[in-house]
Amino acid sequence: MALPLSSSGSGGLFKLSKKSSQRTLTPSSAAEYLASLKAADDDALAREQARSHSPTPARDVVHASAVNYAPSIASTPALSFASTAPSSLSSPTTYAATLEEDDDPLVYPDNPPTSNDPPPSALHSEFGYCNNEEYRYTSSYRDGTSLFPQHQDPPMTILLATYISYLFLIAIGHMRDFFGKRFWPGYYKHLMSAAGYAALNSDFDSFYTRRLKLRIEDCFARPVTGVPGRTILMYNRVSPDFNVSFKLTGQLTRALNVSSYNYLGFAQATGGVADAAEESIRRYGLSALGPRLEAGTQDLHTAAEALVARFLGVEDAAVISMGFATNSTTLPALVSRGCLVLSDEYNHASIRTGVRLSGASVRLFKHNDMASLEQILRESISQGQPRTHRPWKKILVVVEGLYSMEGTFVDLPALMTLKKRYKFYLYVDEAHSIGAIGPHGRGVCDYFGIDPTEVDILMGTFTKSFGAAGGYIAGKKVLIDKLRTINHAFAYAEAVSPPVLTQLTAAMASIMGVAPPLLTPVGAINTQSTALIPYSHPGPAPAAILPSWMHLPPALLSGVEGNTRLRRLAFNSRYLSQGLRKLGFIIYGHRDSPIVPLLIYNPGKMPVFSRLMLAANTYPGAVPFVVVIVAYPATPLITSRVRFCMSASHTKADVDRLLRACDRVGDLLDLKHGCPKHERWTVDEVIDRAVELVHMD
Amino acid sequence: HHVKGRQRSASIVTVEPVGGDSLEEVLDQNAYKNINSEWVNYKGAWVIHPVLIIIGKIMVDVIPGMHQDASWTIVNLSYLLISYIMFHWVTGIPFDPDSHGGAYDDLTLWEQIDEGAQYTPSKKWLICTPIALFLISTHYTHYNPWLFAINFTALLVVLFPKLPQLHRQRIRFLYRPGYTSGAATPAT
């Protein structure tokens, strides 16, 4: 029985607080389920009557029976009013409008498909539905845009206030430690030596964690459930003792997710890629059961490596089960004592761990500053190794494609010029840029239009754009063959598990598109060998590489959906970064980057930003946002920031909401120190002129 | 770490070098930029010194019955005390022990600035500020010999560890080699 769509229109204007998107944990027994279903029916009836009686501004009350209110399962009994469609459990094509969710923008699209449009293939709460072809953009490097990081400075008062804030926090922290150890020794037992034993933890090393981070601990490590797609379901929690411990309240909040690395939106529990992963579990089980060199290599591994190599346009690739370990095991295999590694200032911890394990000498050059790199190169090459002044065995320059804290791309064209001149080896870590950047999604080489075979070693991860896990190394076949024998991960670490491999294979094939299978030519020597299958870069994946049992839906197979996802991501990234700049915020990074860091500077404003966004009362009709705040010591002292991660799963309406919320919070917290007042736009102007903004320089 | 001079326990004052140039330490230090000490080069890090001194002076002047010479002496001594504790007493980095592996545990903040280079602009500023504050305080104490002696001694105590010759050297009184405090990282 179909429920009429709510006739109260958008009650959003009058809803002052957040939606009743609060649900409890699933019931544990049938009796509980039936009882809660009856309660839900009563609720729905009561609400229907209340709505027809009076148009009072509805405060979203948590009903007395809401404690037991459970989301129903897809097949609800026919006579129930509460035929909800909780996004994690129903079939993707039912947009059953419900009394409580019909105007929840997190679950129901703002512009739902009409009967003329094809049915949506994904749940709106996991991957937003957006049919508007205007909201698309192709990400590629515009000649002439400067890649040198240009950091605007806020007024001096903000910087001085930041220093004074840290001074206060540190002074108060030291005072509390001092008096606490003397008056409440029970709480500090682990930090003080006793009975001849040293302290369990060093109170000095943990000072920042205990005295600064703990104060805002409720903004970090929030417990969640379900896929981190367009929206994420969080367990609400409270702390009775100032963030030392947390208690779950039993309710859940669905929030718009701008904090997960989900660039192409493949973090879905439904859809063709997820179905393929499920099928692989039935066929292969859960584990590869061994290291690669010792019976852990399956046909899935060979296929995935061949596919990755073709995706990137290089000769061969190796796939490792952990992204961090890819760097930390490959770098020691490539360089050793007597080699020089020139690493960017802001490289990831995995690169630094790998370099330190290798024993090679390392020097840091200023972030993305090719002049600094050249100066260090000339100095190191002319001086040679320290003390002996012998020439270096190898010089390896390690950069990242897209830096996750800064949102900047590596200056690859200038780097290639330097490479031709000084003849060093180049290692590009494309953890964030692979799959997300470039007109075909092939990473920074695609973005800049550079031949990927010119880069010696391409490294990347599958965590961010493909919804999988693990990392890869790609390059010449000689190099990869040797790496497979000396890389520790191949010898000792477990191989990538089959469902993860299938997820990355299917996601990668969706981005590339799959070419229809060719007839095998007469006289082909070895059709099993993937190396003989022809491929032109960038192009669709040859069907012969993919496992025969993997049946992707036609939209994914043809590459149309992959292409749409890429263009949606490019539009969202550009829109958000341009929009925030026009609103007056200081934004780091390049305009095409899906990572948008917004500078906050003052440590006190960070938790306020995070909590205001989550509380969803920044403007009428706001939704909760879950954001990532980063401060010292993960960033330099004065540049605390909030880092937004755009995704193809967001719609333009979501970015509009984010812009409105940021605008309001920015006014409250005095964060707008970017462009001067007369150049700023209002948020309505930004939203109306979105397409123009994206195509603007 | 070897101690210079006679190693008998009769020595009242000994000078001990700390830190080291071993390969592990160099690699650990080079892996990351030392953000514990980088901030002295950022915008506003120099201006904050006079700003804090002025704020401190105002707060001290609020006390009723405060004379100018006492006020300036208090401000001078407080600034020297706080800057001494911050730059020359506390060693190590108070966060992220995994990233630098204890390579800076024996180095004070002064020795960490600019990766141990001497005569850098930040170090010159940090030397000039206490001297300037001392000169202002001698003016306002009208060259009273007692106050002058106190301020001057305090200034010398603070300027002494900033000398390049004392880079990574520790002056120990009644040092007994073989006696260690047992703490791997410095006490708060």
Side-chain angles (χ1 to χ4, degrees):
Chain A
M1 138 181 124
L3 288 168
L5 279 177
S6 161
S7 55
S8 63
S10 63
L13 268 181
F14 297 100
K15 294 217 170 117
L16 294 174
S17 55
K18 59 181 180 276
K19 305 276 175 191
S20 62
S21 41
Q22 313 219 338
R23 293 182 203 90
T24 57
L25 311 167
T26 47
S28 54
S29 73
E32 230 180 279
Y33 167 62
L34 289 172
S36 63
L37 197 55
K38 176 161 193 333
D41 279 351
D42 293 338
D43 269 352
L45 254 176
R47 210 173 316 173
E48 177 81 9
Q49 281 165 9
R51 210 177 276 233
S52 61
H53 282 327
S54 59
T56 50
R59 285 196 68 222
D60 280 328
V61 227
V62 177
H63 297 277
S65 57
V67 176
N68 284 330
Y69 181 67
S72 62
I73 312 182
S75 56
T76 47
L79 293 179
S80 164
F81 274 103
S83 60
T84 63
S87 22
S88 52
L89 296 169
S90 75
S91 77
T93 53
T94 42
Y95 272 98
T98 68
L99 286 172
E100 73 150 15
E101 286 176 0
D102 56 359
D103 45 15
D104 184 351
L106 294 179
V107 176
Y108 197 73
D110 304 88
N111 303 313
T114 65
S115 46
N116 291 331
D117 298 318
S121 56
L123 284 172
H124 188 64
S125 61
E126 284 177 6
F127 187 85
Y129 177 80
C130 172
N131 208 13
N132 194 334
E133 276 299 308
E134 280 205 336
Y135 303 147
R136 309 277 187 263
Y137 183 78
T138 307
S139 124
S140 69
Y141 177 60
R142 286 191 189 180
D143 270 321
T145 16
S146 162
L147 290 159
F148 191 78
Q150 281 141 349
H151 290 168
Q152 286 171 291
D153 272 326
M156 183 60 91
T157 45
I158 302 268
L159 295 175
L160 294 179
T162 309
Y163 287 118
I164 294 177
S165 306
Y166 275 110
L167 204 63
F168 261 111
L169 286 166
I170 292 170
I172 291 176
H174 279 303
M175 263 194 330
R176 290 183 69 188
D177 271 348
F178 182 82
F179 289 111
K181 282 194 200 154
R182 278 149 188 82
F183 292 118
W184 298 277
Y187 290 108
Y188 293 81
K189 268 208 232 143
H190 58 293
L191 298 170
M192 299 193 289
S193 52
Y197 287 102
L200 201 58
N201 299 106
S202 159
D203 58 353
F204 185 78
D205 278 346
S206 57
F207 180 76
Y208 266 80
T209 316
R210 285 181 300 112
R211 290 302 176 204
L212 273 79
K213 186 165 181 255
L214 194 66
R215 298 171 79 98
I216 56 174
E217 194 69 40
D218 59 308
C219 302
F220 303 115
R222 294 178 173 137
V224 298
T225 179
V227 283
R230 172 178 161 267
T231 65
I232 196 164
L233 206 53
M234 291 187 306
Y235 290 106
N236 295 0
R237 51 183 188 168
V238 292
S239 176
D241 52 2
F242 302 105
N243 293 348
V244 177
S245 64
F246 289 96
K247 278 184 173 11
L248 300 182
T249 62
Q251 300 194 312
L252 289 91
T253 306
R254 185 174 286 284
L256 207 61
N257 185 8
V258 284
S259 53
S260 296
Y261 295 134
N262 180 24
Y263 297 135
L264 290 183
F266 280 113
Q268 291 174 270
T270 56
V273 176
D275 291 340
E278 226 179 299
E279 178 67 21
S280 76
I281 298 179
R282 290 195 192 95
R283 287 174 182 264
Y284 290 87
L286 288 173
S287 170
L289 300 164
R292 286 292 301 274
L293 292 181
E294 190 182 310
T297 302
Q298 299 167 335
D299 53 351
L300 277 180
H301 292 91
T302 324
E305 291 181 344
L307 189 64
V308 168
R310 275 162 182 71
F311 183 79
L312 300 164
V314 292
E315 284 180 23
D316 201 359
V319 162
I320 296 169
S321 53
M322 202 178 139
F324 189 105
T326 310
N327 271 331
S328 64
T329 51
T330 302
L331 282 163
L334 291 173
V335 291
S336 58
R337 197 179 282 214
C339 304
L340 174 67
V341 174
L342 294 167
S343 141
D344 187 287
E345 225 179 4
Y346 290 142
N347 271 345
H348 189 250
S350 57
I351 296 175
R352 300 186 205 256
T353 307
V355 170
R356 279 163 76 196
L357 280 175
S358 68
S361 301
V362 57
R363 293 196 59 180
L364 306 175
F365 63 92
K366 286 209 186 328
H367 177 57
N368 234 6
D369 187 351
M370 293 299 123
S372 156
L373 173 61
E374 178 159 15
Q375 185 248 323
I376 295 184
L377 264 174
R378 293 175 76 90
E379 190 190 320
S380 318
I381 295 175
S382 60
Q383 291 294 311
Q385 300 187 27
R387 293 203 192 96
T388 58
H389 294 289
R390 290 205 196 125
W392 296 102
K393 285 201 264 177
K394 267 178 238 175
I395 297 184
L396 182 68
V397 172
V398 181
V399 289
E400 284 190 36
L402 172 61
Y403 291 89
S404 60
M405 277 305 157
E406 306 287 309
T408 45
F409 298 120
V410 64
D411 192 349
L412 204 55
L415 200 50
M416 299 309 287
T417 321
L418 273 182
K419 181 176 194 302
K420 289 187 180 61
R421 187 165 177 205
Y422 293 98
K423 302 185 179 41
F424 49 78
Y425 296 115
L426 183 58
Y427 182 112
V428 179
D429 176 347
E430 291 203 76
H432 288 272
S433 54
I434 190 67
I437 309 293
H440 309 278
R442 311 298 169 104
V444 271
C445 297
D446 196 24
Y447 182 74
F448 288 108
I450 290 174
D451 185 7
T453 51
E454 287 187 20
V455 178
D456 298 296
I457 302 148
L458 286 163
M459 177 264 170
T461 60
F462 302 115
T463 331
K464 284 86 184 178
S465 300
F466 304 101
Y472 66 82
I473 301 278
K476 297 244 176 314
K477 187 163 178 359
V478 195
L479 170 72
I480 302 296
D481 282 344
K482 177 71 176 173
L483 261 186
R484 284 202 184 105
T485 55
I486 58 177
N487 186 317
H488 284 186
F490 271 76
Y492 302 107
E494 180 142 352
V496 192
S497 67
V500 174
L501 268 181
T502 314
Q503 166 82 18
L504 75 93
T505 309
M508 212 171 249
S510 315
I511 303 174
M512 295 169 85
V514 181
L518 302 167
L519 293 170
T520 51
V522 176
I525 302 163
N526 185 5
T527 51
Q528 303 286 343
S529 164
T530 51
L532 291 177
I533 300 172
Y535 168 76
S536 71
H537 182 77
I545 293 183
L546 300 178
S548 54
W549 47 264
M550 189 186 286
H551 301 297
L552 295 171
L556 289 178
L557 265 184
S558 61
V560 164
E561 178 159 346
N563 187 261
T564 311
R565 285 177 189 237
L566 283 168
R567 290 182 306 135
R568 274 177 68 164
L569 172 66
F571 178 87
N572 290 344
S573 326
R574 222 175 149 83
Y575 178 32
L576 183 68
S577 68
Q578 293 274 52
L580 286 173
R581 283 186 169 97
K582 283 285 184 247
L583 286 177
F585 292 102
I586 298 183
I587 307 288
Y588 279 5
H590 298 122
R591 283 161 171 70
D592 283 327
S593 137
I595 296 175
V596 183
L598 190 156
L599 269 285
I600 293 186
Y601 295 103
N602 213 305
K605 294 180 186 172
M606 281 199 313
V608 182
F609 194 103
S610 174
R611 289 168 194 156
L612 275 178
M613 293 296 254
L614 189 60
N617 50 11
T618 42
Y619 67 94
V623 295
F625 283 95
V626 57
V627 299
V628 170
I629 48 173
V630 221
Y632 188 66
T635 62
L637 179 70
I638 41 179
T639 50
S640 319
R641 61 197 74 177
V642 60
R643 187 189 63 186
F644 299 116
C645 297
M646 271 292 106
S647 163
S649 59
H650 294 127
T651 60
K652 187 214 177 247
D654 296 330
V655 186
D656 291 342
R657 291 190 183 97
L658 182 58
L659 285 168
R660 273 195 207 282
C662 285
D663 180 57
R664 181 87 181 101
V665 176
D667 284 331
L668 282 172
L669 295 179
D670 185 32
L671 295 175
K672 294 185 178 175
H673 299 288
C675 63
K677 260 210 180 85
H678 58 268
E679 283 178 20
R680 283 186 215 159
W681 292 10
T682 62
V683 68
D684 290 310
E685 219 182 316
V686 168
I687 291 176
D688 288 332
R689 295 165 69 177
V691 181
E692 182 193 335
L693 254 187
V694 165
H695 292 276
M696 209 188 271
D697 237 340
Chain B
H1 298 156
H2 70 279
V3 180
K4 291 199 187 107
R6 289 184 302 172
Q7 296 208 15
R8 285 185 282 159
S9 58
S11 301
I12 297 176
V13 173
T14 49
V15 176
E16 183 196 353
V18 293
D21 281 325
S22 70
L23 183 64
E24 282 92 25
E25 294 230 12
V26 170
L27 287 186
D28 281 344
Q29 289 177 0
N30 280 345
Y32 286 87
K33 276 257 171 342
N34 186 353
I35 49 175
N36 182 43
S37 63
E38 276 239 309
W39 61 271
V40 297
N41 291 321
Y42 292 158
K43 184 174 174 196
W46 290 15
V47 174
I48 196 71
H49 286 271
V51 165
L52 284 173
I53 290 169
I54 291 172
I55 292 177
K57 178 77 175 61
I58 293 173
M59 291 198 335
V60 167
D61 278 345
V62 161
I63 301 171
M66 178 66 63
H67 295 289
Q68 279 307 294
D69 42 4
S71 164
W72 277 110
T73 308
I74 291 173
V75 168
N76 187 28
L77 292 178
S78 316
Y79 176 77
L80 294 178
L81 179 68
I82 293 174
S83 67
Y84 185 84
I85 292 176
M86 187 168 165
F87 286 98
H88 301 289
W89 184 265
V90 177
T91 62
I93 298 184
F95 49 82
D96 249 357
D98 298 328
S99 65
H100 50 85
Y104 295 108
D105 280 350
D106 289 324
L107 301 182
T108 60
L109 184 56
W110 182 263
E111 288 156 359
Q112 292 174 27
I113 290 176
D114 293 324
E115 295 151 24
Q118 302 300 329
Y119 309 110
T120 66
S122 292
K123 287 192 173 176
K124 287 179 188 166
W125 170 258
L126 288 169
I127 290 176
C128 290
T129 314
I131 295 175
L133 185 57
F134 165 73
L135 291 175
I136 296 174
S137 69
T138 53
H139 173 263
Y140 280 101
T141 59
H142 310 293
Y143 300 94
N144 175 344
W146 288 109
L147 291 180
F148 179 87
I150 294 170
N151 284 331
F152 192 58
T153 320
L155 179 72
L156 286 182
V157 166
V158 162
L159 284 186
F160 187 56
K162 294 183 168 49
L163 290 172
Q165 287 73 21
L166 284 180
H167 181 67
R168 296 212 317 238
Q169 312 284 339
R170 300 276 176 269
I171 313 255
R172 301 227 187 267
F173 294 97
L174 296 175
Y175 175 76
R176 281 180 292 145
Y179 170 79
T180 51
S181 66
T185 48
T188 309

